[in-house]
Amino acid sequence: MSITITVNPLPTVTADHSSVCANNQTDIDLETLVTNPSGGTLTYYTSETNAENETNSISQIVSPTSTTTYWIRTELPTGCYDVTSTQITIDPLPAVNAGIDGDICIGNTYDLTTNATGSNLSYYENQTDANNGSNALVSTTVSPTVTTTYYVRSDNTTTGCYNTDSKIITVNPLPNVTANASDTSICIGEPVTLTGGGALTYSWSDGVSDGVPFSPTATQTYTVTGTDANGCVNTATIEIIVNPLPIVIANTTATVICEGESVTLT
């Protein structure tokens, strides 16, 4: 009597090592790392024991937060199997700093590259676009009309990892500058005092000093430039009318009279 023992060959499986970006920024499909020439069914595990016992399999898509070894099992219909492993390391995110927050006066511009550091920087109007690397600003010079947060992205072109930071650009309104005068209509030779309002410091045209009396000789419009605590500037004007003195004529009915005679002055 005889018995035939069939010896089925073992399958072979190998896997390359790889890496992902930190902070769960990227994941990886373990199958893309596997060479499975025997064509066996692949399953994935977090320990060699589980792989050998075919228990507690996991998804082939993984996103580890620290260096992790995964185990891959390939099994043929005969029940024969092989196990291998792959190590996934963590690539750090690139350093990025958008710089300190800035401020501008409404109508002015700001260069987002000011004090920004990092490699391969690009700039965005919202966090979603920064994360996706889409809709980057064409120009880094911006002129927002309201306080706005901008986002900067740094890319490591070797690892494919990125990092983002943000900065707030505060938009300050212009001061409501007023031009004031002690009198807007004077006679020639009389003094007038011009004062600015609505700002912190004032500068007048034509050499006039704020709050200091002077005597204009002709009707003129004066411009005051006011600067507030934020360095924002605005202007205002005021017209001072200078009236000429009247030409007074003294008349008399006679310039020589005898004592006792009368004379009329007009």
Side-chain angles (χ1 to χ4, degrees):
M1 180 177 177
S2 65
I3 187 169
T4 301
I5 304 298
T6 301
V7 179
N8 295 308
L10 293 178
T12 58
V13 63
T14 59
D16 296 327
H17 300 308
S18 190
S19 63
V20 294
C21 298
N23 293 1
N24 291 315
Q25 194 176 90
T26 56
D27 53 30
I28 190 167
D29 185 344
L30 295 176
E31 188 174 2
T32 62
L33 306 177
V34 174
T35 300
N36 185 28
S38 305
T41 300
L42 296 173
T43 47
Y44 305 88
Y45 304 87
T46 56
S47 74
E48 185 175 14
T49 299
N50 287 342
E52 292 287 350
N53 296 328
E54 204 173 1
T55 57
N56 301 316
S57 64
I58 63 171
S59 169
Q60 67 191 57
I61 307 297
V62 295
S63 183
T65 57
S66 60
T67 298
T68 303
T69 298
Y70 295 95
W71 298 84
I72 301 101
R73 174 184 174 124
T74 182
E75 184 171 341
L76 297 173
T78 60
C80 297
Y81 69 90
D82 189 22
V83 171
T84 191
S85 65
T86 179
Q87 186 180 72
I88 308 300
T89 56
I90 307 300
D91 293 321
L93 304 185
V96 62
N97 189 331
I100 60 174
D101 294 337
D103 65 273
I104 61 171
C105 302
I106 191 168
N108 290 352
T109 61
Y110 186 89
D111 185 354
L112 294 175
T113 65
T114 302
N115 299 319
T117 59
S119 58
N120 303 306
L121 297 181
S122 50
Y123 298 84
Y124 304 84
E125 290 184 326
N126 60 71
Q127 185 68 66
T128 299
D129 283 346
N131 289 341
N132 295 333
S134 58
N135 302 314
L137 295 175
V138 175
S139 173
T140 60
T141 301
V142 295
S143 183
T145 57
V146 296
T147 296
T148 302
T149 301
Y150 292 93
Y151 301 83
V152 58
R153 171 176 169 140
S154 174
D155 281 279
N156 184 322
T157 56
T158 300
T159 64
C161 301
Y162 72 90
N163 204 354
T164 66
D165 193 19
S166 64
K167 72 188 322 179
I168 299 172
I169 307 303
T170 300
V171 179
N172 298 307
L174 301 184
N176 184 23
V177 175
T178 60
N180 311 292
S182 56
D183 197 342
T184 57
S185 181
I186 61 172
C187 296
I188 191 169
E190 291 181 340
V192 65
T193 301
L194 302 183
T195 55
L200 185 63
T201 61
Y202 306 94
S203 175
W204 287 88
S205 62
D206 300 286
V208 175
S209 297
D210 191 71
V212 178
F214 72 104
S215 298
T217 58
T219 296
Q220 187 170 332
T221 297
Y222 296 89
T223 300
V224 61
T225 300
T227 304
D228 67 12
N230 295 316
C232 297
V233 175
N234 209 351
T235 62
T237 60
I238 191 169
E239 184 183 44
I240 304 300
I241 298 173
V242 179
N243 299 298
L245 298 179
I247 300 175
V248 179
I249 300 174
N251 303 298
T252 179
T253 53
T255 57
V256 179
I257 61 173
C258 295
E259 184 178 352
E261 292 181 338
S262 62
V263 63
T264 300
L265 300 180
T266 57

